[in-house]
Amino acid sequence: MTELVLIRVTGADKPGLTASISAILAQYGVTILDIGQAEIHDTLSLGILAAIPDNAESAPVLKDVLFKAHELGLSIRFTPVTAESYAHWVAGQGKSRHIITLLARTIEADAIARVTAIVAEHGLNIDQISRLSGRVPLDQAASSNDNTRACVEFSVRGEADQSELRARFLEVANELGVDVAFQADDVYRRTRRLVAFDMDSTLIEAEVIDELARAAGVGDQVAAITERAMLGELDFKQSFAERMALLRGLDASVLEGIAERLPITEGAERLIYNLRALGYKTAILSGGFNYFGRYLQQRLGIDYVFANELEMEDGVVTGRVIEPVVDGQRKAELLRELAAKEGIRLEQTIAVGDGANDLPMLSIAGLGIAFRAKPLVRENARHSISTLGLDGILYLLGYRDRDIAEPPCTTAGQR
């Protein structure tokens, strides 16, 4: 009768350990039903679920494995596995799988404890925990400064109320100053192909219309309208028309200077450089203006730009609105159109934005991310990033720091 044994090996890691153990099992014709290995700070943890065949007694097999482990300076433990237990394990492979991504400048034990407690409360099983961020020096690890990035990914299995889980994770994120994303671990997560960005307060750390308003001497009036629109208190088209009217008479000569001074959001260049290298298409879908969108397109290497036209006559802004206005619904329509043009499903798209007018496209994208967003947007988006720069999105896609290249002419991040 076939015997099932779980072999667990721990100790100082060195080349050839797994080969040595598995070679002994091979001599006895053992079948490997499952195997997993992890290494933390040069310490190995290896697990093998072995099926020892009828024609081989378990005692000699395990004795030889035990002697080899001691020879290598390893600790080893054998646990018999019943047929019923194995059958239960096999039956669990059809359960839903999800990825939980914890992001912050530094990750404290409290964040791990809170996230895993929620996982346990909802009856989910953690299959794997991985660190995606690179190793950092001790002085950086002990302080949360603007240059550090930390990310831990949990692979979990089981059925749970996703909306309730996201609400709980958002609560933890707000209390601890971290970000927690919860997404299905399905084929679409591994085949994203198009990333659409809002521009103002997303790709750039400014609202262009507010910058134009300052140049026109109506900064406070326009900024107040902009804020209410982003909070969802005003209809975007109505607020856009009101702000445009206040810009009437602005000289076109100021546009170039404003474009050159636009502050690029932390991580934007690193993110887009890597997305392009990995074959993603990128787009700006903005309620701002094409003039500035095209400037960013050239600077960052964006594939598509859709924004509003700033009408000029005799070198000055007319203050009139040119239809169609790119509002929230238009952004969602454009995302659908781009997905169709690229021959991909909406599940393969990513949308990133900060304002209420971004919610329509965030809601239909395969991965909708509220970036440094207003509370209303964070509460209604399925995912959010507030603690890191835009390059934190690469962690949500499952990339590790060692997979990520640094763009030319920028300071290299930690590896």
Side-chain angles (χ1 to χ4, degrees):
M1 179 178 179
T2 300
E3 292 186 62
L4 306 181
V5 179
L6 177 60
I7 304 169
R8 287 178 281 190
V9 182
T10 59
D13 194 15
K14 63 184 73 172
L17 296 183
T18 305
S20 298
I21 300 295
S22 57
I24 294 172
L25 298 176
Q27 293 173 9
Y28 291 92
V30 170
T31 299
I32 305 298
L33 299 175
D34 195 17
I35 185 168
Q37 180 173 312
E39 180 269 331
I40 298 178
H41 199 64
D42 296 327
T43 299
L44 169 78
S45 178
L46 168 66
I48 299 174
L49 181 56
I52 302 173
D54 297 343
N55 59 358
E57 294 183 9
S58 63
V61 179
L62 302 184
K63 181 186 71 174
D64 288 354
V65 171
L66 178 63
F67 285 165
K68 175 57 69 173
H70 286 174
E71 178 185 316
L72 297 170
L74 301 170
S75 297
I76 192 162
R77 182 178 177 184
F78 304 111
T79 304
V81 175
T82 65
E84 292 77 15
S85 174
Y86 179 73
H88 178 75
W89 175 75
V90 170
Q93 67 185 333
K95 291 185 178 180
S96 299
R97 294 181 180 273
H98 291 82
I99 296 294
I100 300 169
T101 313
L102 173 62
L103 310 97
R105 294 296 179 181
T106 60
I107 293 177
E108 307 294 339
D110 192 20
I112 300 286
R114 295 282 296 277
V115 168
T116 53
I118 293 171
V119 169
E121 289 167 12
H122 286 78
L124 300 176
N125 184 72
I126 298 175
D127 289 334
Q128 186 173 352
I129 303 176
S130 304
R131 171 179 54 84
L132 302 188
S133 50
R135 301 172 183 176
V136 298
L138 191 58
D139 57 345
Q140 290 186 32
S143 63
S144 56
N145 61 59
D146 290 342
N147 298 317
T148 60
R149 292 182 294 269
C151 177
V152 174
E153 180 184 273
F154 305 81
S155 175
V156 302
R157 176 168 36 89
E159 305 295 336
D161 186 322
Q162 296 188 29
S163 60
E164 183 180 344
L165 269 170
R166 287 195 174 96
R168 292 291 305 282
F169 287 142
L170 180 58
E171 181 181 317
V172 170
N174 290 335
E175 290 178 9
L176 301 184
V178 300
D179 292 313
V180 186
F182 179 75
Q183 55 181 312
D185 186 14
D186 56 21
V187 65
Y188 297 117
R189 178 176 182 261
R190 298 181 289 277
T191 57
R192 311 286 190 207
R193 288 293 177 265
L194 170 68
V195 188
F197 298 93
D198 173 46
M199 180 172 65
D200 298 54
S201 296
T202 301
L203 278 178
I204 56 174
E205 294 178 335
E207 293 285 336
V208 168
I209 199 165
D210 293 348
E211 299 300 314
L212 293 171
R214 290 189 188 94
V218 290
D220 291 342
Q221 295 164 264
V222 169
I225 299 172
T226 300
E227 179 68 12
R228 293 185 66 194
M230 292 301 99
L231 289 170
E233 297 175 2
L234 293 176
D235 173 76
F236 182 83
K237 283 188 176 181
Q238 177 188 355
S239 69
F240 184 69
E242 291 178 13
R243 287 176 288 173
M244 286 298 299
L246 290 169
L247 297 180
R248 185 183 299 114
L250 177 66
D251 197 288
S253 62
V254 305
L255 300 185
E256 183 177 355
I258 290 174
E260 291 175 349
R261 293 192 302 272
L262 290 176
I264 304 298
T265 298
E266 175 198 356
E269 291 172 298
R270 187 170 184 255
L271 170 63
I272 294 171
Y273 179 80
N274 280 276
L275 290 176
R276 292 180 65 193
L278 293 165
Y280 289 76
K281 294 292 186 178
T282 55
I284 292 175
L285 307 183
S286 173
F289 301 106
N290 269 323
Y291 179 93
F292 301 98
R294 286 191 289 267
Y295 173 85
L296 287 175
Q297 180 180 34
Q298 183 175 16
R299 177 169 174 178
L300 297 175
I302 302 288
D303 295 295
Y304 301 101
V305 174
F306 295 91
N308 295 303
E309 284 297 336
L310 191 60
E311 186 181 69
M312 300 281 186
E313 283 185 2
D314 300 323
V316 298
V317 176
T318 67
R320 295 191 294 266
V321 173
I322 298 178
E323 297 288 348
V325 172
V326 179
D327 60 358
Q329 293 305 318
R330 181 60 181 151
K331 288 186 179 186
E333 291 170 7
L334 287 167
L335 183 62
R336 292 183 187 277
E337 292 172 10
L338 285 175
K341 181 176 181 178
E342 292 294 331
I344 61 175
R345 297 170 61 99
L346 274 174
E347 290 89 346
Q348 294 176 275
T349 67
I350 301 169
V352 189
D354 74 298
N357 65 323
D358 295 311
L359 282 172
M361 72 171 180
L362 299 187
S363 67
I364 66 168
L367 181 64
I369 304 168
F371 179 74
R372 297 182 182 176
K374 311 299 185 291
L376 171 70
V377 183
R378 289 192 72 196
E379 291 168 7
N380 286 277
R382 284 171 291 168
H383 313 281
S384 66
I385 294 179
S386 297
T387 59
L388 301 184
L390 276 171
D391 51 348
I393 291 171
L394 292 167
Y395 292 138
L396 299 192
L397 300 178
Y399 294 109
R400 300 170 182 268
D401 275 359
R402 64 171 179 256
D403 305 321
I404 301 169
E406 298 299 330
C409 303
T410 62
T411 302
Q414 68 265 16
R415 307 304 287 171

